[in-house]
Amino acid sequence: MTEYDFFRTMFRKLSSAEDRTSAAWTVEMFGWLILAEGTVLLVSPQIVGTVLNLPVLEEQGANYLRLAGLLVGGLGMLYVVSGRLAAEGFMFGSLLDRPLVPPIMALLWYLDLIPGSLALLFSVQDFASFLWTLLTWRAEMRNPGPP
């Protein structure tokens, strides 16, 4: 198989999402959510700051939020692609990563490094999506469909 054939095959799988499980779909949906959040951060950091009740953003602070938006959007893209391709290793890795967010956010809030609204938002979002993927994956393992 040539490099061209490999990329053509991967893009075909990406566009059709064939053989995608329900658990992979949950990972993809989480990816779309954080991709959208990253886009909003990138385009409108002042509005995000107002919604999260952050202190007034100077130009440098807004640019740092834009940078965070770029990173969050890139992570969202990884989740979307991994979900569409049903990448089990990535799904498993996300099940190890996402439950760590609430304790880390609590620590950052406790140390007064981030506002409580931001810590709560990230904690609820990541932990809820973790539970959604975990419960869906467990249900699939208990009741496997036809091959």
Side-chain angles (χ1 to χ4, degrees), residues 111-122:
L111 295 173
D112 204 26
L113 297 175
I114 61 171
S117 58
L118 188 61
L120 184 62
L121 177 70
F122 278 120

Side-chain angles (χ1 to χ4, degrees), residues 30-42 48 69 72-73 121-122 125-126:
F30 179 67
W32 284 114
L33 174 65
I34 61 176
L35 182 59
E37 290 171 353
T39 302
V40 171
L41 271 171
L42 188 64
V48 172
V72 168
L121 177 70
F122 278 120
Q125 175 181 291
D126 276 51

Side-chain angles (χ1 to χ4, degrees), residues 89-106:
F90 185 89
M91 286 188 288
F92 178 73
S94 79
L95 290 173
L96 298 176
D97 170 64
R98 289 185 276 170
L100 296 176
V101 172
I104 292 170
M105 288 294 118

Side-chain angles (χ1 to χ4, degrees), residues 10-131:
M10 292 307 285
F11 279 114
R12 183 182 49 75
K13 286 181 178 181
L14 185 62
S15 66
S16 69
E18 60 190 37
D19 301 326
R20 180 178 56 181
T21 63
S22 296
W25 184 78
T26 68
V27 169
E28 179 187 345
M29 290 301 106
F30 179 67
W32 284 114
L33 174 65
I34 61 176
L35 182 59
E37 290 171 353
T39 302
V40 171
L41 271 171
L42 188 64
V43 174
S44 306
Q46 299 289 356
I47 293 172
V48 172
T50 302
V51 169
L52 293 175
N53 200 25
L54 299 176
V56 176
L57 296 173
E58 300 296 328
E59 184 178 352
Q60 185 179 22
N63 288 337
Y64 280 132
L65 268 183
R66 284 187 177 98
L67 179 59
L70 180 65
L71 297 171
V72 168
L75 187 59
M77 185 176 181
L78 287 173
Y79 272 88
V80 169
V81 170
S82 296
R84 289 194 65 80
L85 296 177
E88 286 190 358
F90 185 89
M91 286 188 288
F92 178 73
S94 79
L95 290 173
L96 298 176
D97 170 64
R98 289 185 276 170
L100 296 176
V101 172
I104 292 170
M105 288 294 118
L107 178 64
L108 293 175
W109 169 75
Y110 178 77
L111 295 173
D112 204 26
L113 297 175
I114 61 171
S117 58
L118 188 61
L120 184 62
L121 177 70
F122 278 120
S123 295
V124 168
Q125 175 181 291
D126 276 51
F127 198 71
S129 71
F130 158 74
L131 287 176

